[in-house]
């Protein structure tokens, strides 16, 4: 039994993927010599292309006959890695935007947390292709990811206060994690909680919109 109508979710997913990819491509094209804008574009592309690895099998599962369990699992693995890269690039974009050359411990922490997250995602105990993957490993691999998210929130909150187009990046990231973590913890027991991924995705759309506004300033 599907917990929400297939058509609305499919339309939402398609619109999101197109928006992220087109928006990212447009930002890269407009970047010229502004490396921070180019990074914003690359980040948007990573969001769209990375999420497509699990959203496309999900949509196919709605509209075609077949077992997409393995494809969905592999897609979630790919998305987990691309989202980690996305948050690592968040730190580089902050440094480029505001001309920060110091704060090396922050950059080192972002790299360490990203590397630990990717390594944990590669462990077979995650059971990515299983219909009931390991909840314990879902929690374990998301610990460094959550810490990376907190680091991103804190640094953008401190740095972007006076940057009108980007002053709420910290809030969008905070809300995205608040929507995401209950899915990690409880979606296997209460599948309806998985619907929180929709507002989580909306937060990333908001981030891309902020990137687009920042390109003009």
């Amino acid at each position: 039994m599907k917990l929400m109508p297939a058509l609305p979710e499919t339309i939402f997913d398609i619109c999101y993927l197109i928006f992220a990819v087109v928006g990212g491509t447009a930002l890269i094209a407009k970047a010229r010599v502004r490396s921070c804008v180019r990074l914003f574009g690359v980040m948007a592309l990573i969001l769209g292309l990375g999420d497509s690895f699990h959203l496309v099998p999900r949509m196919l599962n709605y509209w075609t006959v077949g077992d997409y369990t393995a494809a969905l699992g592999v897609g979630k693995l790919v998305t987990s890695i691309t989202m980690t890269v996305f948050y690592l690039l968040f730190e580089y974009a902050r440094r480029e935007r505001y001309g920060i050359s110091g704060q090396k411990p922050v950059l080192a922490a972002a790299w360490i947390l990203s590397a630990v997250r990717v390594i944990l995602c590669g462990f077979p105990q995650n059971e990515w292709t299983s219909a009931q993957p390991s909840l314990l490993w879902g929690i374990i691999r998301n610990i460094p990811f959550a810490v990376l998210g907190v680091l991103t929130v804190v640094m953008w909150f401190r740095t972007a206060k006076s940057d009108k187009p980007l002053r709420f990046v910290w809030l969008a990231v905070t809300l995205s994690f608040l929507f995401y973590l209950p899915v990690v913890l409880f979606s296997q027991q209460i599948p309806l909680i998985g619907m929180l991924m929709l507002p989580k995705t909306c937060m990333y759309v908001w981030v891309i919109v902020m990137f687009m506004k920042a390109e003009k300033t």
Side-chain angles (χ1 to χ4, degrees):
M1 183 179 72
K2 295 180 175 61
L3 295 172
M4 67 178 296
L7 183 59
E9 183 180 344
T10 301
I11 293 173
F12 177 87
D13 290 343
I14 291 173
C15 290
Y16 160 65
L17 293 177
I18 292 174
F19 176 75
V21 172
V22 173
T25 303
L27 283 169
I28 293 172
K30 294 177 181 178
R32 299 183 182 91
V33 296
R34 298 181 64 190
S35 56
C36 69
V37 175
R38 187 177 297 108
L39 274 172
F40 291 158
V42 171
M43 291 168 69
L45 276 178
I46 287 174
L47 271 180
L49 296 177
D51 281 349
S52 69
F53 278 87
H54 79 91
L55 290 179
V56 171
R58 183 175 176 86
M59 289 185 281
L60 290 173
N61 187 53
Y62 278 140
W63 299 103
T64 64
V65 176
D67 183 3
Y68 292 93
T69 302
L72 281 165
V74 172
K76 290 177 181 178
L77 168 60
V78 173
T79 299
S80 295
I81 294 172
T82 56
M83 285 302 301
T84 306
V85 174
F86 173 81
Y87 277 98
L88 179 60
L89 290 180
F90 240 133
E91 175 56 22
Y92 279 96
R94 185 183 71 90
R95 300 170 75 85
E96 289 287 345
R97 176 77 173 179
Y98 306 110
I100 299 170
S101 57
Q103 300 182 3
K104 291 183 179 179
V106 175
L107 183 60
W111 268 102
I112 292 169
L113 291 167
S114 299
V116 171
R117 156 80 163 176
V118 171
I119 291 170
L120 289 174
C121 285
F123 276 70
Q125 288 89 341
N126 286 284
E127 301 176 323
W128 288 106
T129 58
S130 171
Q132 292 292 326
S134 170
L135 174 60
L136 175 61
W137 274 84
I139 295 171
I140 291 173
R141 69 175 179 264
N142 276 293
I143 291 174
F145 187 54
V147 177
L148 180 61
V150 171
L151 181 67
T152 302
V153 167
V154 170
M155 299 314 298
W156 276 85
F157 177 76
R158 290 180 175 178
T159 311
K161 287 181 179 179
S162 59
D163 189 349
K164 188 175 180 180
L166 298 172
R167 60 182 172 176
F168 292 124
V169 162
W170 69 271
L171 179 59
V173 173
T174 299
L175 291 173
S176 72
F177 273 91
L178 290 178
F179 290 129
Y180 174 64
L181 293 179
V183 175
V184 173
L185 296 172
F186 307 116
S187 62
Q188 288 191 18
Q189 295 81 12
I190 312 173
L192 191 62
I193 288 179
M195 292 180 65
L196 288 175
M197 294 299 284
L198 297 181
K200 169 187 173 291
T201 301
C202 290
M203 294 303 101
Y204 289 122
V205 171
W206 185 19
V207 168
I208 296 173
V209 170
M210 286 189 275
F211 286 170
M212 291 177 171
K213 291 181 178 178
E215 180 271 327
K216 300 176 183 178
T217 61

